[in-house]
Amino acid sequence: MRTRNILLKIFIVGLMASWVNDAAAQMMAVKTNALLWGNLTPNLSLELVTTKKTSLEITGFYSLKNTPFDTQLKGAQMEMRYWASGRPMNNLFVGISFTALGFNTTLGRGFRHSGDAIAPGIVFGYDLVLGKHWNVEFATGVGYFWYKERRYGQNTDPWMKPYNEHGGRMLPTKLNASIAYIF
């Protein structure tokens, strides 16, 4: 099992390296999603141009304990994007994503949901150029989440209990209004 995981990681890195091979000029952007900050969830994304029409984005996020929506998220997301305009970080894009996260939330039915999830998905977005180094990005995505969770009453500490729910569900994977600085 451990050997299979290592081989899978080597394969993914090799696949990404083959995309980077054709890059004409390296551009990199650092960004943050303002909508996640609304839930007191610090986040940072790094986007790297891989070819003339593609880029790779990696995002990490981690919520504070007490958030306005009583939802704590921690995780990462990776996206491979294809830019319709022929120029990365400009105009329309479509992409595939992979999300992995841990969650702890109340969904309004008297239950606390705490668990882990992974999801492949698709992403659509638009990047608006503000200047030589600044962009604003809007994106949305959807994916199929496989999850396992602990679902218990509000007054129970779910971290001390075993997982009691699992399944799959189609859910949004991204809702993004980001400010980006391009190097």
Side-chain angles (χ1 to χ4, degrees):
M1 183 70 157
R2 181 166 163 75
T3 305
R4 193 169 85 193
N5 286 340
I6 292 171
L7 290 175
L8 180 63
K9 290 175 186 175
I10 291 171
F11 173 75
I12 290 172
V13 169
L15 188 62
M16 287 180 195
S18 70
W19 281 325
V20 174
N21 188 19
D22 296 331
Q26 291 295 341
M27 278 198 332
M28 185 175 67
V30 175
K31 25 180 136 167
T32 189
N33 182 354
L35 298 179
L36 277 177
W37 280 99
N39 190 47
L40 298 179
T41 305
N43 63 90
L44 190 64
S45 297
L46 180 66
E47 185 171 5
L48 179 65
V49 173
T50 54
T51 69
K52 291 180 183 178
K53 291 191 174 194
T54 63
S55 65
L56 174 70
E57 180 181 277
I58 298 172
T59 303
F61 50 91
Y62 188 87
S63 293
L64 305 173
K65 286 196 181 236
N66 298 320
T67 64
F69 297 108
D70 196 22
T71 299
Q72 185 178 16
L73 300 171
K74 50 189 164 194
Q77 186 172 45
M78 185 172 72
E79 294 176 22
M80 192 66 194
R81 296 176 169 184
Y82 175 81
W83 294 85
S85 68
R87 182 175 155 223
M89 298 184 204
N90 183 19
N91 249 332
L92 294 172
F93 66 86
V94 62
I96 57 173
S97 67
F98 183 78
T99 305
L101 64 91
F103 59 91
N104 187 1
T105 186
T106 303
L107 298 176
R109 294 191 179 134
F111 288 105
R112 192 95 195 139
H113 300 265
S114 178
D116 305 303
I118 59 170
I122 56 173
V123 178
F124 302 96
Y126 185 82
D127 215 329
L128 177 65
V129 177
L130 298 179
K132 184 175 179 180
H133 292 287
W134 293 98
N135 283 6
V136 175
E137 178 181 292
F138 303 97
T140 187
V142 67
Y144 191 79
F145 278 90
W146 287 283
Y147 65 91
K148 61 181 181 176
E149 72 177 7
R150 300 168 186 97
R151 184 171 66 172
Y152 292 98
Q154 285 279 64
N155 299 327
T156 306
D157 184 8
W159 293 106
M160 300 304 192
K161 303 285 186 176
Y163 289 107
N164 60 0
E165 293 286 330
H166 68 280
R169 191 173 285 169
M170 186 71 81
L171 292 168
T173 57
K174 184 169 209 148
L175 187 56
N176 191 8
S178 292
I179 273 293
Y181 181 79
I182 299 172
F183 294 93

